[in-house]
Amino acid sequence: VNEIVRLNEDPNVQGLALDLPESLYSSKVLNAVKPEKDVDGLSDVNLGRLVRGDACDCLVPPVVSAVIELLEDLGGKKVLLVGADGAVGAALQCLLQREGAATMSCRWKAPQLRTKLHQADVVVVGSTKPDDVPVSWIKPGTTIISCSHDLLSEKRNYGQQNNHAAENAVGSLAIAMRMQNMVKNAERWIQSQQYRKWDLRCLKLQPLSPVPSDIEISRAQSPKAVDVLAKEIGLLTDEIEIYGQTKAKVRLSLLERLKDQPDGKYVLVAGITPTPLGEGKSTVTIGLVQALTAHLNINSFACLRQPSQGPTFGVKGGAAGGGYAQCRLMEEFNLHLTGDIHAITAANNLLAAAIDARILHENTQSDKALYNRLVPVVNGVRGFSAIQLARLRRLGINKTDPGTLTEEEISKFVRLDIDPSTITWQRVVDTNDRFLRKITVGQAKTEKGFVRQAQFDIAVASEIMAILALTTSLQDMKERLGRMVVANDKKGEPVTAEDLGVTGALAVLMKDAIKPTLMQTLEGTPVFVHAGPFANIAHGNSSVLADKIALKLVGEKGFVVTEAGFGADIGMEKFFNIKCRASGLVPSVVVLVATVRALKMHGGGPNVTAGAPLKKEYTEENLQLVAAGCCNLQKQIQITQLFGVPVVVALNVFKTDSPAEVDLVCEMAKQSGAFDAVPCNHWSAGGKGAVQLAQAVEKAASQKNSFKYLYNLELPIVEKIRIIAQKVYGAQDIELSPAAQSQVDRYTQQGFGNLPICMAKTHLSLSHQPERKGVPTGFILPISEVRASIGAGFIYPLVGTMSTMPGLPTRPCFYDIDLDSVTEQVKGLF
């Protein structure tokens, strides 16, 4: 059984045929074989399908096929099965009856055996005839078929010959039928590897008015089991790793299986410059896919970022959508999910520990002592590890025998000479903790006086998160992890994770996190949740891998809808210039999300503060404010047009919006160059409330697409920053601080000048000043600092100061979060 289980899991084995002694053909052994690999057709699952008549889903046992092949014109004949028990006997009875025969079964020791033998026109013998059963009991002219298990090995023993009856042995024919089953199974496997048409059962929504809380809506809708969803969208059983009932990891092997499948349409959801409340991009993303699939019968996939757990307990709210446009289950979505952020935390902090430990050991040991410890003698043999050999090659030392290095070569090999003042790699934790923004490490006596100031970032700010979001394969991720620059040496040269010898270990910690997590919307349509990089110091988009897999699964006429963080000036610009460069994918449509309240704010309305009631200007009709604020919408449409992609404006409607305000926004959007502009009510009505948006997106996707990047990578770093500032933000020019200019010069000298730019700027204004709403002009964009994420593959200039560790407010929302100890339900999370 253990060997069968091992072969079951071997992807190179497509069928299992058992050739065992008669005594080993137990139910336990037969059912150990996976039904899809059961060439002998003897498992309970295969027999059940056979009995039900599902011929295309089952394999007929070879011996049974041979018997049926030998027997012709069975209509009305009496067929006796003797000694044919278990799976073979059941299959024989089923198929013989289906051929019109009247079947009887009997054991060799049964009292009525003589009578039944005399009545039978055909006798099928399933095991060796005992000597005490005379041949004379069988009437003349009877056809006898012998089909015991050992026939497949040609071990025949028929007992006495029956001269007056036609006797047939099925051995050779059964072997041929088994080969036929093997061919059929191989053909079935080949067919299973092809793209499958979706057979999706969407879930019905029954929206209530007034709309209940997000958590009440989520719990009122029973989700499908994730393995059912996976099968519906064409995933194979060996392509998913199930986590509980409602989420599963999807393996990257799918990309190889469907490499020849054309991609679907690629849709980006972006937004205008938001209020601090957010304008509902996640909700629009989910509402759109619910409309496309559940209401228009078009395959679609939503690809979302995984939210950080820190703000979940600090500032109330998640990122799973809301109302009747949600990703289920919200508790799992906003908490641990499948542990990706924890894996990033572990990998990040392993690298941080390696940096400080290496500095300590280099400061306290001679070259010889370091060499002896880095390349120790193990079982009498001394050798370099693979990553150490790679370091030697980078140093120009083409030797593989540790005993042949010169003293100078040993010194070059063992000493990274990290300059502690240049360390940029920080420890991370997925909790809002303001007191970790500045810390001191190394204060214990065991660290021998090596003390330095450092800090913690929130986990999603780690460069490893950005790498996870941009990587295209496991090999690509390993290479990116190795390229991460953590500091400079005392000569000003970059020191990488590869230099520290930790690349392989980081990849091991990230091997499961690289797989996207499959979930579902309230209406049972598929969602990928994968990666959640910061939208300021990183690019703020979900993963390239989730998008690539989804684009294969939806098929050529399907849609993949993903979201960019913050407004279009930040998230969308980075999506195009960073993510699309990494993926090679070309977007079909941009959906630009706007709200009446945000436009009123840009038109001169009072400040909007999270947690405070909205002023009357936002709850009463005010066409003048709306018209004045449409300048921001117009600017964001123009930014989209810089990239040559059609734009559809989605107006996220609130109950306080008047029909006149809605009509005004849609009309001004179309006048400003939008392909279409439609009001959306998915929050209160689910996918049904976004059908008009889905139809507009489908039409826009058929338009001519002249996608282009904003800048050439070969341009100098400063010039690329200037292009973004002037063409996207509307700045007059940029101004670099002396420190920023020095950093630009250093990155250029180190060979990093050809990387794309990832601007770290406030999302609350097109400018660097959050209070400046609408469309600011004539400002000089100050660049205070320029940093680099070399592994992720971008340079990120800081516009002003940028916090990478949020703090807890006076009253964090953890006051309201609790667990029901009886039902185990989370309370107060939303």
Side-chain angles (χ1 to χ4, degrees), residues 285-331:
T285 300
I286 295 169
L288 175 54
V289 294
Q290 289 181 171
L292 283 165
T293 301
H295 298 273
L296 298 182
N297 200 29
I298 298 171
N299 292 356
S300 72
F301 232 110
C303 292
L304 303 176
R305 289 183 294 165
Q306 180 185 353
S308 168
Q309 198 169 272
T312 298
F313 290 98
V315 181
K316 193 176 180 68
Y324 286 99
Q326 292 185 37
C327 177
R328 300 228 42 226
L329 294 165
M330 293 191 79
E331 305 99 306

Side-chain angles (χ1 to χ4, degrees), residues 45-60 94-95 98 184 188:
V45 172
N46 243 316
L47 287 172
R49 291 169 178 167
L50 181 66
V51 171
R52 284 202 314 264
D54 298 337
C56 59
D57 286 335
C58 70
L59 292 175
V60 178
C94 174
L95 290 185
R98 207 168 284 166
K184 185 177 179 181
R188 184 185 292 174

Side-chain angles (χ1 to χ4, degrees), residues 482 492 773:
K773 306 302 181 183

Side-chain angles (χ1 to χ4, degrees), residues 385-392 394 497-504:
S385 67
I387 201 165
Q388 288 176 327
L389 286 170
R391 173 163 166 75
L392 285 170
R394 288 196 305 278
E498 185 81 2
D499 292 326
L500 285 157
V502 75
T503 306

Side-chain angles (χ1 to χ4, degrees), residues 81-400:
L81 309 180
V82 185
D85 298 322
V88 171
L92 275 169
Q93 286 215 45
C94 174
L95 290 185
L96 288 168
Q97 289 173 3
R98 207 168 284 166
E99 293 291 325
T103 61
M104 306 174 286
S105 63
C106 194
R107 297 187 178 184
W108 288 115
K109 299 296 184 182
Q112 66 272 36
L113 175 62
R114 182 173 183 175
T115 303
K116 289 189 175 183
L117 282 170
H118 193 71
Q119 294 173 346
D121 301 310
V122 178
V123 175
V124 180
V125 178
S127 57
T128 305
K129 179 181 76 62
D131 292 339
D132 59 353
V133 177
V135 175
S136 59
W137 287 7
I138 303 174
K139 71 180 181 182
T142 301
T143 300
I144 303 172
I145 305 287
S146 183
C147 59
S148 58
H149 278 298
D150 56 14
L151 288 169
L152 290 177
S153 301
E154 293 294 338
K155 301 169 187 171
R156 289 186 287 243
N157 180 11
Y158 307 120
Q160 301 177 36
Q161 293 295 312
N162 181 7
N163 296 322
H164 61 289
E167 181 174 355
N168 299 274
V170 299
S172 298
L173 184 55
I175 291 172
M177 292 300 181
R178 175 187 268 177
M179 292 301 296
Q180 190 176 70
N181 275 1
M182 287 181 175
V183 172
K184 185 177 179 181
N185 221 41
E187 290 174 342
R188 184 185 292 174
W189 178 83
I190 292 170
Q191 184 62 34
S192 74
Q193 301 304 298
Q194 308 305 309
Y195 176 77
R196 294 183 186 179
K197 186 178 179 182
W198 284 19
D199 184 22
L200 192 67
R201 177 183 63 87
C202 293
L203 306 177
K204 297 293 183 184
L205 280 180
Q206 294 180 323
L208 300 176
S209 183
V211 177
S213 70
D214 290 350
I215 195 69
E216 289 173 321
I217 293 171
S218 180
R219 287 181 178 158
Q221 185 81 329
S222 297
K224 291 181 283 190
V226 73
D227 58 332
V228 172
L229 173 64
K231 185 176 181 181
E232 289 177 344
I233 61 174
L235 286 163
L236 307 182
T237 53
D238 62 357
E239 289 174 339
I240 61 169
E241 299 168 4
I242 295 175
Y243 286 64
Q245 295 295 313
T246 57
K247 55 189 185 293
K249 286 286 192 183
V250 175
R251 293 175 178 163
L252 308 189
S253 57
L254 178 143
L255 286 171
E256 177 62 25
R257 176 171 70 87
L258 297 181
K259 63 183 178 182
D260 297 325
Q261 167 68 21
D263 288 347
K265 304 290 187 181
Y266 196 26
V267 180
L268 174 69
V269 176
I272 64 169
T273 305
T275 68
L277 306 177
E279 310 317 308
K281 293 191 303 296
S282 298
T283 311
V284 169
T285 300
I286 295 169
L288 175 54
V289 294
Q290 289 181 171
L292 283 165
T293 301
H295 298 273
L296 298 182
N297 200 29
I298 298 171
N299 292 356
S300 72
F301 232 110
C303 292
L304 303 176
R305 289 183 294 165
Q306 180 185 353
S308 168
Q309 198 169 272
T312 298
F313 290 98
V315 181
K316 193 176 180 68
Y324 286 99
Q326 292 185 37
C327 177
R328 300 228 42 226
L329 294 165
M330 293 191 79
E331 305 99 306
E332 296 179 2
F333 184 98
N334 285 292
L335 295 175
H336 304 284
L337 199 59
T338 48
D340 293 357
I341 293 179
H342 300 314
I344 288 165
T345 301
N348 185 100
N349 292 345
L350 174 63
L351 180 53
I355 296 166
D356 287 326
R358 185 59 176 260
I359 294 172
L360 171 69
H361 294 312
E362 287 189 23
N363 285 346
T364 56
Q365 297 179 53
S366 66
D367 290 352
K368 182 178 179 181
L370 277 170
Y371 193 56
N372 288 339
R373 288 182 171 91
L374 286 170
V375 193
V377 176
V378 180
N379 297 325
V381 179
R382 191 177 197 187
F384 294 113
S385 67
I387 201 165
Q388 288 176 327
L389 286 170
R391 173 163 166 75
L392 285 170
R393 287 192 294 271
R394 288 196 305 278
L395 291 171
I397 304 171
N398 296 312
K399 296 179 180 179
T400 57

Side-chain angles (χ1 to χ4, degrees), residues 304-626:
L304 303 176
R305 289 183 294 165
Q306 180 185 353
S308 168
Q309 198 169 272
T312 298
F313 290 98
V315 181
K316 193 176 180 68
Y324 286 99
Q326 292 185 37
C327 177
R328 300 228 42 226
L329 294 165
M330 293 191 79
E331 305 99 306
E332 296 179 2
F333 184 98
N334 285 292
L335 295 175
H336 304 284
L337 199 59
T338 48
D340 293 357
I341 293 179
H342 300 314
I344 288 165
T345 301
N348 185 100
N349 292 345
L350 174 63
L351 180 53
I355 296 166
D356 287 326
R358 185 59 176 260
I359 294 172
L360 171 69
H361 294 312
E362 287 189 23
N363 285 346
T364 56
Q365 297 179 53
S366 66
D367 290 352
K368 182 178 179 181
L370 277 170
Y371 193 56
N372 288 339
R373 288 182 171 91
L374 286 170
V375 193
V377 176
V378 180
N379 297 325
V381 179
R382 191 177 197 187
F384 294 113
S385 67
I387 201 165
Q388 288 176 327
L389 286 170
R391 173 163 166 75
L392 285 170
R393 287 192 294 271
R394 288 196 305 278
L395 291 171
I397 304 171
N398 296 312
K399 296 179 180 179
T400 57
D401 182 353
T404 62
L405 267 66
T406 66
E407 287 187 6
E408 183 184 355
E409 289 170 338
I410 288 173
S411 182
K412 284 175 68 178
F413 173 73
V414 301
R415 297 219 172 262
L416 297 180
D417 277 334
I418 295 171
D419 180 352
S421 67
T422 67
I423 294 173
T424 55
W425 195 262
Q426 309 298 345
R427 290 166 174 82
V428 299
V429 63
D430 199 29
T431 304
N432 288 9
D433 192 344
R434 65 177 67 247
F435 282 88
L436 294 178
R437 289 170 177 167
K438 192 172 185 180
I439 61 171
T440 303
V441 296
Q443 295 193 77
K445 291 181 180 178
T446 50
E447 275 49 75
K448 302 177 182 178
F450 172 55
V451 178
R452 70 179 183 91
Q453 283 197 340
Q455 68 184 59
F456 269 79
D457 294 335
I458 197 160
V460 293
S462 170
E463 184 178 349
I464 296 177
M465 175 63 90
I467 287 174
L468 178 65
L470 289 170
T471 194
T472 55
S473 67
L474 192 55
Q475 181 60 35
D476 179 56
M477 182 178 73
K478 282 182 66 176
E479 292 171 2
R480 287 174 179 270
L481 291 171
R483 290 199 300 266
M484 292 187 301
V485 174
V486 300
N488 291 327
D489 64 19
K490 291 171 183 174
K491 295 178 181 177
E493 294 300 315
V495 177
T496 65
E498 185 81 2
D499 292 326
L500 285 157
V502 75
T503 306
L506 300 180
V508 167
L509 288 170
M510 294 294 294
K511 71 179 181 65
D512 293 319
I514 196 175
K515 304 164 191 171
T517 299
L518 176 66
M519 299 183 78
Q520 63 191 281
T521 67
L522 286 174
E523 298 192 50
T525 67
V527 176
F528 273 141
V529 183
H530 199 214
F534 255 29
N536 49 26
I537 66 163
H539 60 295
N541 304 141
S542 61
S543 80
V544 165
L545 281 170
D547 292 354
K548 281 180 170 282
I549 292 173
L551 284 164
K552 295 297 182 187
L553 285 171
V554 296
E556 192 170 6
K557 295 182 179 179
F559 286 80
V560 171
V561 184
T562 190
E563 174 195 345
F566 296 157
D569 56 306
I570 300 178
M572 184 191 70
E573 181 270 316
K574 295 175 183 179
F575 174 89
F576 288 144
N577 284 318
I578 298 175
K579 185 176 180 180
C580 288
R581 288 186 200 268
S583 68
L585 299 172
V586 176
S588 308
V589 184
V590 169
V591 174
L592 194 61
V593 179
T595 61
V596 167
R597 74 181 179 198
L599 294 172
K600 286 180 175 178
M601 178 190 71
H602 288 296
N607 288 339
V608 176
T609 305
L614 288 171
K615 303 284 177 59
K616 66 180 181 62
E617 286 86 350
Y618 297 104
T619 58
E620 298 175 1
E621 183 178 287
N622 192 322
L623 297 176
Q624 186 178 352
L625 273 183
V626 172

